[in-house]
Amino acid sequence: MTATTTDTLNRLAAVLDSRKPANGGDPEKSYVARLLHKGPDAFLKKVAEEAGEAIMAAKDLQHGHGTPQALVGEVADLWFHSMVALAHFGLSPADVVAELARREGLSGLEEKALRKVQAREAGNA
């Protein structure tokens, strides 16, 4: 990610954090504050909805009747609502970037196998 990308994500994360009810976010004046006020079911429903819309935009693009901008817009909505979830749970884009950096250089198959082993070990502990 470029510094500009990171800066944009960090600025958005700060705005989302400011909209938390504990930080004075007003559900009457802010969409994010309203989602956070309603609780996880509300914003997680939006994450699922936006994921579906991103999939449909990608399928439309694949079949020649969608646009790249439509896919970008839906992924932006998905990222935004995912960031609302991160904010609610006290996490940030930096946490996601750190996880991606940790995975960098690992084969996807190796990484998935490692997660399975870790889950089994956690279940046996």
Side-chain angles (χ1 to χ4, degrees):
M1 278 199 240
T2 65
T4 303
T5 302
T6 303
D7 292 344
T8 300
L9 292 173
N10 288 335
R11 282 192 310 273
L12 178 55
V15 169
L16 296 176
D17 194 55
S18 75
R19 300 297 197 268
K20 290 179 179 179
N23 295 335
D26 184 350
E28 298 298 318
K29 296 180 181 176
S30 165
Y31 170 73
V32 171
R34 187 174 311 135
L35 278 177
L36 291 169
H37 179 75
K38 288 180 179 179
D41 285 350
F43 58 76
L44 294 175
K45 181 178 177 182
K46 287 299 293 180
V47 171
E49 176 186 317
E50 298 302 343
E53 291 176 6
I55 290 167
M56 295 310 297
K59 294 297 252 176
D60 287 347
L61 188 56
Q62 174 187 12
H63 295 293
H65 48 84
T67 65
Q69 188 54 42
L71 177 57
V72 168
E74 294 303 342
V75 171
D77 291 344
L78 176 59
W79 284 19
F80 176 85
H81 288 90
S82 295
M83 287 180 64
V84 171
L86 288 171
H88 173 80
F89 292 109
L91 299 166
S92 73
D95 296 305
V96 176
V97 171
E99 177 61 14
L100 290 171
R102 184 192 68 76
R103 294 179 185 186
E104 188 175 7
L106 288 177
S107 124
L109 297 175
E110 290 171 352
E111 199 278 329
K112 187 174 181 178
L114 178 61
R115 280 189 283 151
K116 284 183 181 180
V117 168
Q118 290 170 337
R120 270 196 305 268
E121 289 173 354
N124 292 332

